[in-house]
């Protein structure tokens, strides 16, 4: 799956590809059943994942997605560590392909969809 200017989004369980470039896991929790070796990560960037509280509240309920996206953008804007991590991710994207990895099954309704938008357009 590709999502814009040099930023791709894939499930972390999919095999790595040369075209991935930098592979960055953007989930707060490590994916079940996956070894760190098999993940072939450049970085694990937990700082840009939604808080546990927000993640639990959302529960991937489609009707809550817009409100979740608003709350998630607010978290990214307020957290200094998230701001620094966003700049790191933008730097990786400037250097070549960047693939954001997630364990989520419904990528279009996940934090990763919002994160791509934030990286490309800003908060």
């Amino acid at each position: 799956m590709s999502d814009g200017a040099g930023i791709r989004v894939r499930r972390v369980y999919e095999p790595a590809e040369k075209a991935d470039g930098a592979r960055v896991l953007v989930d707060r929790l490590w994916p079940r059943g996956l070894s760190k070796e098999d993940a072939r990560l450049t970085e694990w960037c937990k700082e840009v994942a939604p808080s546990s509280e927000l993640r639990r509240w959302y529960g991937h309920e489609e009707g809550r997605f817009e409100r979740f996206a608003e709350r998630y953008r607010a978290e990214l804007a307020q957290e200094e560590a998230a701001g620094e991590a966003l700049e790191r991710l933008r730097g990786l994207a400037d250097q070549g392909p960047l693939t954001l990895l997630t364990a989520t099954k419904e990528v279009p309704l996940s934090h990763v969809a919002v994160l791509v938008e934030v990286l490309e357009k800003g908060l």
Side-chain angles (χ1 to χ4, degrees):
M1 176 182 297
S2 178
D3 279 306
I7 300 175
R8 296 167 41 128
V9 175
R10 299 184 67 215
R11 292 198 68 225
V12 70
Y13 299 107
E14 297 172 22
E17 298 176 354
K18 275 189 168 185
D20 287 347
R23 293 172 49 86
V24 180
L25 178 64
V26 292
D27 290 347
R28 187 166 302 277
L29 304 174
W30 186 260
R32 289 185 184 155
L34 185 70
S35 73
K36 293 192 180 192
E37 184 177 300
D38 288 343
R40 295 182 51 196
L41 299 181
T42 304
E43 182 177 341
W44 181 10
C45 191
K46 298 179 214 177
E47 301 89 351
V48 295
S51 66
S52 296
E53 175 186 50
L54 180 57
R55 186 175 43 81
R56 281 191 296 270
W57 171 83
Y58 175 43
H60 292 279
E61 290 184 32
E62 190 172 342
R64 291 184 177 179
F65 181 73
E66 290 304 318
R67 182 69 183 123
F68 165 77
E70 290 172 18
R71 291 177 63 183
Y72 176 46
R73 282 187 201 95
E75 281 187 358
L76 289 172
Q78 292 169 357
E79 296 293 325
E80 185 177 333
E84 292 169 5
L86 288 171
E87 288 309 308
R88 245 187 0 263
L89 292 174
R90 286 185 182 109
L92 287 171
D94 287 345
Q95 294 171 20
L98 170 63
T99 300
L100 302 179
L101 300 167
T102 182
T104 263
K105 291 178 185 173
E106 293 292 329
V107 174
L109 294 174
S110 75
H111 71 288
V112 184
V114 178
L115 182 57
V116 169
E117 181 182 309
V118 167
L119 288 170
E120 292 179 341
K121 299 175 185 162
L123 295 168

